[in-house]
Amino acid sequence: MRIFPRLKFRTKLNLGMSAILVGMAVLLLPLVGTMSANSLVEESKKRGSALAEGLSVRAVDPLLARDFLRLKNMVDEQSTVEDVIYAFVQDKNGFVLVHTFQKGFPVDLIDANKVTTGQPLHIQLLADGSRRIYDFAAPVLVSDGRLGTVRIGLSQARIQMAVQRQLTLMAGLFAGALILATSLGTVFARRVTARLGRLRAHAEEMLTGNLDTFSGPEWGIHCWEKQQCNTTQCPAYGETRRRCWYIAGTMCPDCNNEGNFQCRLESCRRCVVYRENAGDEIQDLAETFDVMALSLKSHIEELRDAERNLRDQQRLTRTILDVSPDRVSLVDSTMRYRGCNKSFAESVGMSLAEIEGRTDFDLFPEAEAEERHMAARDILQSGRRLDTQLMVEAGGGEHWFHVVCVPVFNDEGRIDGLLRTDRDISDIKRYENQLIQAQKMESLGLLAGGVAHEINTPLGIILGYAQLLQEDVDAGSQIHQDLAIIEKQTQVCKKIVADLLGFSRQTQSAKRAMCFNNSVMEAVSLVRHTLELDKVEIITQLDDRYPIIYGDPEKLKQVWINLLTNARDAMAGLGGTIFIRTRLDTPGGIVSLWVADNGSGIAEEALKKIFDPFYSTKAVDKGTGLGLSVSFGIIEDHGGDIRADSPVPEDFGFPANAKSGAGGGGTVFEVNLPLDHEGPESGEPEKE
């Protein structure tokens, strides 16, 4: 099926070459003929001019001597020259002195060509019937002026005959050259088209994606065979599909592997392997096609490997970014988003595709967007990174973020964008506050312990003397009543001192494996009757898996009683419900307790201080402000944490049948303790 296109192409090539040659002959023959004719005419004019000027120089002496015989001989000599039709000499007045005409001088020639003053030579084309004559008029000059004029006539017909002979010869040469070129072109075209056909087939195979085909010759010797080389580490060793001069990094001592391909090729031209294997331009083209196919195949494989690696890296990067809880985002120099991770997209409630191209003002509230925009603009201008902590109010609460924003530079050192990460450090902030609270309580505990020990002795003496004096006075007397008041207030002071001593104690006692739910229920049973008298009911919802922890039952019971008592006091005597819930989180390794009430609640300003020692929202004679502080220390000593929320969150799930309380939104305390069954490292019980 491919024979006809090849024959057609070869025929077209032959016809095209023949047409080109014929066209060149048709175009060049008149041009060359004209140029040749003009050249012959010019040569004839130059020859005629030379004859006329030479005769004018020689005629000076005969004219001065009036030697007409000598002058006649000079003129007759000119008639023997080929193409000269006539020659004659005129004096300065135009009279003919001598001439070469046999039948008389034609009078019309006298004025046919005149030389003006100052003109050295004048040529005039004359017509004599069917003949054309070039008439050359040269003045005979001496220092005093012009003596006369020499006239010589050359035949144009003879010049035209010479031109015609030359054109005929050239036409014959062109015809012979055309026939020879056509024959040679046919032979050459057959060979060229056959080789070009193989190149075309190779190119078609390459276009279809087949890069394993070859169009170059397979003959020839290989360099390692010719040179008897055993350098197996050379990249050309064993290579049969490429010539060695197309391979970079060859280890042949005669090769120049430095510089570009042309420099290396120059050194290869002196190699015997190159001289025996190198071919013509078509073979070079075919071998170049083969090298190009191999290079393309290698590059395509490298590109595919790079593409696979890039896709893997993109998936890995996307997975890492999406798994990270940090909010990662990338903006360009115009502060439009170009990418983000899943956490950032979820925080603004949009998909990754929707975020791209938007600005901060499209994603955040105006105040927050303005803050982010100003920070980004400062970094773009200064090039300095931002590392700070920000507080954002969202979801009805405060959230702290550690913000790191760094500029992204391009290859030219200019800032192309900003990469920002927002890490939620709300838990860290809470732990930090708890640590500050613990340090504060530790310092106050040391102070309170010292003060309590110093006050406890005089209080005991005051209490003892007050009781002794009561026995010495009459009951019901004013003095007895005053002593009773002293005793009562001293008892109050002793309780305060006892609380101070409890607050200041830094050691633990009798930690052991215990049931968390049993500890809670023991505290509930102790205060249930008292709370019912104040119209407060207790509802429990305990995890039925009975969490086991390692702790001090008595101290934890003190915490639960403090929480229940505070919840009762929040009812303000109006009654209400205390809801207790426990939950075991085995994967997290913690057990949690919630004590919620529907009392008056705690103000936001007071909520931050309720664990401070001696801080209380109760009346002066209703509490010491140490209950929650002591509870905080006990929970911290057990490796847990305690926090409070007011009002109670809507999703907390307060029982539907709970009594209505004071209507202040209530308060919920959350306690988290670790599931630690190991006990002390020493294996011995701790001592107070």
Side-chain angles (χ1 to χ4, degrees):
M1 295 299 293
R2 293 183 179 179
I3 296 176
F4 295 103
R6 288 182 181 177
L7 290 176
K8 184 177 181 181
F9 174 73
R10 186 161 57 239
T11 303
K12 287 183 177 180
L13 182 60
N14 293 335
L15 292 177
M17 293 178 64
S18 300
I20 291 173
L21 291 174
V22 172
M24 291 177 61
V26 171
L27 292 175
L28 291 178
L29 190 59
L31 179 62
V32 172
T34 303
M35 292 174 62
S36 299
N38 292 334
S39 177
L40 289 174
V41 170
E42 290 298 325
E43 289 295 329
S44 298
K45 288 181 178 180
K46 289 179 181 179
R47 188 162 62 88
S49 299
L51 291 175
E53 290 175 347
L55 182 60
S56 67
V57 172
R58 293 166 57 198
V60 172
D61 291 338
L63 284 176
L64 290 176
R66 309 296 292 178
D67 188 354
F68 296 109
L69 178 61
R70 182 181 173 189
L71 187 62
K72 173 64 174 173
N73 292 332
M74 291 180 182
V75 171
D76 290 341
E77 289 176 0
Q78 301 301 320
S79 62
T80 60
V81 179
E82 185 180 4
D83 298 338
V84 175
I85 299 177
Y86 60 84
F88 63 92
V89 179
Q90 296 175 291
D91 62 11
K92 62 181 179 180
N93 296 319
F95 294 104
V96 178
L97 300 178
V98 291
H99 60 83
T100 59
F101 291 98
Q102 300 295 329
K103 297 181 179 181
F105 184 84
V107 181
D108 295 337
L109 281 177
I110 295 176
D111 297 325
N113 187 7
K114 292 184 178 182
V115 179
T116 60
T117 303
Q119 185 177 3
L121 177 69
H122 187 264
I123 302 173
Q124 182 70 39
L125 180 62
L126 304 178
D128 182 16
S130 61
R131 293 191 307 172
R132 296 291 186 268
I133 301 171
Y134 285 104
D135 187 272
F136 298 87
V140 181
L141 301 174
V142 293
S143 59
D144 295 336
R146 185 164 62 90
L147 295 178
T149 303
V150 173
R151 301 275 296 278
I152 295 178
L154 295 181
S155 174
Q156 187 190 35
R158 293 183 180 180
I159 297 174
Q160 293 296 333
M161 290 176 61
V163 171
Q164 189 65 35
R165 287 195 301 271
Q166 185 172 0
L167 289 177
T168 303
L169 178 61
M170 290 179 62
L173 291 176
F174 267 112
L178 177 61
I179 295 172
L180 179 61
T182 303
S183 302
L184 294 177
T186 302
V187 176
F188 175 75
R190 293 187 179 211
R191 297 186 61 185
V192 170
T193 52
R195 299 172 71 183
L196 290 178
R198 289 194 295 270
L199 281 178
R200 185 193 64 182
H202 184 205
E204 290 175 353
E205 291 292 332
M206 291 176 61
L207 288 176
T208 59
N210 184 10
L211 299 178
D212 294 323
T213 60
F214 292 90
S215 58
E218 298 180 357
W219 50 264
I221 59 173
H222 302 293
C223 63
W224 72 89
E225 297 173 342
K226 182 68 176 179
Q227 303 284 11
Q228 296 181 355
C229 173
N230 295 321
T231 309
T232 57
Q233 61 270 27
C234 177
Y237 187 86
E239 177 63 51
T240 59
R241 303 172 68 177
R242 292 179 296 172
R243 303 294 187 187
C244 58
W245 53 85
Y246 289 109
I247 303 174
T250 56
M251 304 179 69
C252 179
D254 299 331
C255 292
N256 177 20
N257 289 316
E258 298 179 358
N260 55 22
F261 174 73
Q262 293 297 331
C263 295
R264 291 189 285 109
L265 191 60
E266 288 298 326
S267 65
C268 289
R269 296 186 191 279
R270 299 186 294 270
C271 178
V272 63
V273 178
Y274 180 86
R275 289 197 299 268
E276 291 188 15
N277 290 340
D280 55 10
E281 289 79 2
I282 296 181
Q283 179 179 330
D284 290 343
L285 181 61
E287 292 176 347
T288 304
F289 262 64
D290 295 341
V291 173
M292 182 177 66
L294 289 174
S295 300
L296 283 176
K297 183 179 179 180
S298 176
H299 290 321
I300 289 173
E301 291 176 353
E302 291 176 357
L303 288 175
R304 287 174 179 171
D305 293 339
E307 184 181 5
R308 285 193 296 269
N309 292 334
L310 182 60
R311 284 199 302 266
D312 294 341
Q313 292 295 330
Q314 287 177 339
R315 282 195 298 267
L316 178 60
T317 303
R318 173 54 60 185
T319 302
I320 294 173
L321 289 176
D322 288 343
V323 169
S324 173
D326 297 344
R327 301 175 183 179
V328 183
S329 59
L330 177 67
V331 298
D332 59 15
S333 56
T334 63
M335 286 182 279
R336 292 188 175 274
Y337 282 87
R338 289 292 174 252
C340 65
N341 68 340
K342 187 176 181 181
S343 178
F344 181 88
E346 291 176 350
S347 68
V348 297
M350 292 185 180
S351 65
L352 300 177
E354 292 174 337
I355 292 175
E356 186 172 355
R358 294 180 180 267
T359 64
D360 288 322
F361 296 95
D362 300 326
L363 305 178
F364 301 98
E366 184 175 356
E368 184 179 355
E370 182 68 23
E371 183 178 359
R372 295 174 70 99
H373 181 81
M374 295 300 295
R377 190 178 66 179
D378 292 342
I379 298 174
L380 287 174
Q381 292 176 352
S382 65
R384 293 189 297 269
R385 62 176 285 166
L386 172 69
D387 194 337
T388 186
Q389 294 181 1
L390 297 177
M391 189 273 292
V392 178
E393 293 185 1
E398 295 180 353
H399 292 272
W400 283 89
F401 292 93
H402 181 206
V403 178
V404 177
C405 189
V406 296
V408 179
F409 296 92
N410 59 14
D411 295 338
E412 299 176 355
R414 293 198 303 267
I415 299 178
D416 269 355
L418 301 175
L419 181 65
R420 173 167 174 158
T421 60
D422 295 63
R423 176 170 295 179
D424 193 340
I425 58 172
S426 301
D427 293 337
I428 297 176
K429 276 291 184 181
R430 185 167 64 252
Y431 296 145
E432 182 180 295
N433 293 333
Q434 291 177 357
L435 179 60
I436 294 173
Q437 177 70 17
Q439 292 174 345
K440 185 192 305 182
M441 291 176 62
E442 182 180 0
S443 300
L444 290 174
L446 293 175
L447 175 62
V451 172
H453 280 291
E454 295 297 329
I455 295 177
N456 202 32
T457 299
L459 283 179
I461 296 173
I462 293 172
L463 181 60
Y465 276 99
Q467 290 173 348
L468 289 174
L469 288 174
Q470 286 184 66
E471 295 177 359
D472 294 339
V473 298
D474 296 334
S477 64
Q478 183 63 40
I479 296 175
H480 189 278
Q481 293 178 3
D482 293 340
L483 291 173
I485 292 174
I486 292 173
E487 180 187 7
K488 180 180 178 182
Q489 295 304 318
T490 304
Q491 293 288 356
V492 172
C493 290
K494 284 184 67 66
K495 185 179 184 305
I496 294 174
V497 170
D499 289 341
L500 283 173
L501 288 173
F503 172 72
S504 65
R505 296 166 74 181
Q506 302 299 320
T507 59
Q508 299 83 17
S509 61
K511 280 189 179 181
R512 58 182 175 80
M514 55 172 285
C515 180
F516 185 79
N517 287 353
N518 289 345
S519 174
V520 174
M521 290 307 299
E522 286 178 8
V524 171
S525 63
L526 290 175
V527 300
R528 184 187 293 275
H529 179 69
T530 304
L531 268 59
E532 287 178 351
L533 294 177
D534 293 329
K535 301 178 183 179
V536 177
E537 67 172 350
I538 300 176
I539 300 176
T540 59
Q541 188 182 79
L542 307 183
D543 196 313
D544 56 4
R545 289 175 287 181
Y546 296 99
I548 302 299
I549 65 170
Y550 183 82
D552 188 335
E554 295 301 323
K555 287 192 174 185
L556 290 177
K557 191 187 303 180
Q558 181 182 353
V559 175
W560 314 146
I561 292 174
N562 282 338
L563 295 179
L564 293 171
T565 303
N566 285 339
R568 186 270 316 272
D569 294 341
M571 305 297 181
L574 301 176
T577 301
I578 298 176
F579 178 51
I580 301 174
R581 176 191 294 160
T582 63
R583 185 179 66 189
L584 175 63
D585 183 6
T586 302
I590 60 172
V591 61
S592 302
L593 166 74
W594 290 270
V595 178
D597 64 72
N598 53 7
S600 58
I602 303 175
E604 183 178 355
E605 297 78 9
L607 197 62
K608 301 176 182 179
K609 305 176 182 179
I610 57 175
F611 295 108
D612 291 348
F614 305 107
Y615 179 82
S616 177
T617 58
K618 303 175 185 177
V620 177
D621 59 344
K622 297 296 183 181
T624 63
L626 292 172
L628 288 178
S629 299
V630 172
S631 300
F632 185 92
I634 293 173
I635 296 302
E636 185 186 48
D637 179 61
H638 282 72
D641 63 84
I642 180 172
R643 58 187 295 267
D645 286 322
S646 183
V648 179
E650 295 181 359
D651 59 350
F652 179 73
F654 214 87
N657 59 346
K659 286 185 179 180
S660 59
T667 305
V668 58
F669 283 85
E670 179 181 352
V671 179
N672 297 302
L673 291 174
L675 295 174
D676 183 9
H677 304 288
E678 299 298 330
E681 293 181 0
S682 62
E684 299 177 358
E686 296 182 355
K687 299 178 181 179
E688 298 212 6

